[in-house]
Amino acid sequence: MADTKKPIPTRQAALDAYITLRRAGNTIAAKLNRHITDNHLTAGQFGILEALFHLGPLSQQQLAKKILSSKGNITMIIDNLEKQAIVKRTASPHDRRTTIIQLTPQGKKMISKIVPNHLKKIVTMMSVLTVTEMMELKRLCKKVGLSINKE
Amino acid sequence: MADTKKPIPTRQAALDAYITLRRAGNTIAAKLNRHITDNHLTAGQFGILEALFHLGPLSQQQLAKKILSSKGNITMIIDNLEKQAIVKRTASPHDRRTTIIQLTPQGKKMISKIVPNHLKKIVTMMSVLTVTEMMELKRLCKKVGLSINKE
DNA sequence: CCAAATTAGTTTAATATTGTACTGTTTTAA
DNA sequence: TTAAAACAGTACAATATTAAACTAATTTGG
């Protein structure tokens, strides 16, 4: 926070970039959300299932960080998913405070039917960009994201 | 949706770009959200106040589109803001179905104290990028966003 | 002109989300 | 060793959010 006074063009470019970034992300997410609710899942539930699907069993704490949600909310989402036998809680062998969340076989089956379509939708929406542009977009976003998390 | 089969590199680049985009946006938004709650506002409330501040009086329908929220939610947010005399409802002279939302003088005063800090935070976070990179990021996000909204 | 469809906003009920306080567990450092 | 701090998860209360049914006003097409 050393440099409080940015020249106007920098300032305007920064704001424009953020607003456009945010709007694009929200627009895509809103489209995807329709697909998610069609499958009788909430965005939070889907986020957790997707994380478990791609990364394997995770603790609730890890899930909270992944989907940027409060741990109280994770407890509730897991409660609901467990009631439907989509995931199950397991005790961690190393730390009796933590519970490890796993997909049940039915859960894995279910999410593996939804994810491919979900990804296809993302690819379709992003495909207005060339591959070079996609890579550049990724680079720029990563640069921003990393610097914030370093703070 | 003509081209269902994208070559793998395109597919992976598209997914990477989206995930990184989304993560960067969410990370920034989470940081900003702290600032918002410090001022005893919710994200939804702030979104509405910011829109009114930058764009002037708007109907609830317009606000719903702006902040990508359901109209029922807009009703509630406006109810709460109106109770605190931050905004007020006015009848539209042209259409008796619509209500126009305006900032009250106190509301304008309040939001105009918060917004500059908010923007400064955005500028600071985005300033890891050069101006050229900011402009490129904007261009890429706009390209994606526009094509989706055109559908 | 007027019935049907559309639109803006509200209400209600169900669910999601958060923050705080709490329990039990592990880590830490004196 | 052990008291204090940190951590993982839960319970609960307060709000936020959504979807659906509803009211009232406007637009459209025959």
Side-chain angles (χ1 to χ4, degrees), chain B residues 29-59:
Chain B
K31 291 273 181 198
L32 293 176
N33 198 46
R34 275 191 230 158
H35 179 230
I36 290 169
T37 54
D38 285 349
N39 285 284
H40 309 288
L41 291 172
T42 66
Q45 289 175 336
F46 180 79
I48 283 182
L49 294 177
E50 198 188 17
L52 294 174
F53 182 69
H54 283 125
L55 305 174
L58 295 171
S59 73

Side-chain angles (χ1 to χ4, degrees), chain A residues 38-58:
Chain A
D38 284 349
N39 286 283
H40 310 288
L41 292 171
T42 66
Q45 289 175 337
F46 180 78
I48 284 183
L49 294 178
E50 197 187 18
L52 295 174
F53 182 68
H54 283 125
L55 305 173
L58 296 171

Side-chain angles (χ1 to χ4, degrees), chain A residues 60-61 71 75 89 97-99:
Chain A
Q60 295 191 191
Q61 202 67 220
K71 47 185 188 161
T75 295
R89 286 181 165 91
R97 290 172 303 181
T98 80
T99 60

